[in-house]
Amino acid sequence: LVELLVHLPAGVPDKTGAAYVNALNTVDSDFEHRRALRAVVARRGTPKETLDAALKSAQRIGSDFELATLLIVLVEAQGVPEPRHSLFDALRTIDSDFERKRVLSTLAQQPGLTDADITALGKLTGEMGSDFERAEVLLAIVRHQRLSTAGRDALLGAAQRIGSDHERGRVLSAMLNSGVLSSSAGVK
């Protein structure tokens, strides 16, 4: 299947891409499923309907490593795809905090994330159990994004769910140093 897609000319009708993705739902190996979907998501100009179908198919990948690797390739090649909820739904299926952090940190580096994107990243980060991994994602967002009040509030909410004083302090210090948070905000 991978060889078939690689040799299709750019701009192939979307029905062909959707049929290819649907055929992938029969692949049992997470490695092969990721490898085949990579051929779809790494191609510039892939129609958004095909990307959406690929993200839905990706949710069938059980390996957190394979899924995270695929999502990173997608974000690096396509940016944040439309509809965004398909990407965030796929991300929610990653149980490993380390693998989720890999994807969220890659997303955090994308230019021009919207307030809704930042809020979604904050929620996805808040669902993680590891204080260190949470802090790393939030620090990446602070370093790479211009935050509005809504974005700041989403990050602040995620930071306040960090149990470790040290990790929470790292995030709040970065927010203070970047000017996102004022020292009079009364953060605990």
Side-chain angles (χ1 to χ4, degrees), residues 8 11 13 29 31 33 61 65 80 96 116 121 142 162 167 170 182:
L8 288 175
S29 165
F31 172 78
H33 197 165
I61 296 174
F65 171 78
V80 184
S96 164
L121 294 183
V142 169
I162 295 175
E167 298 300 340
R170 287 176 52 212
S182 70

Side-chain angles (χ1 to χ4, degrees), residues 46-68:
T46 300
K48 72 178 184 176
E49 294 81 8
T50 303
L51 289 175
D52 188 47
L55 284 166
K56 288 176 180 162
S57 178
Q59 292 181 46
R60 299 173 56 92
I61 296 174
S63 164
D64 288 342
F65 171 78
E66 298 295 351
L67 179 55

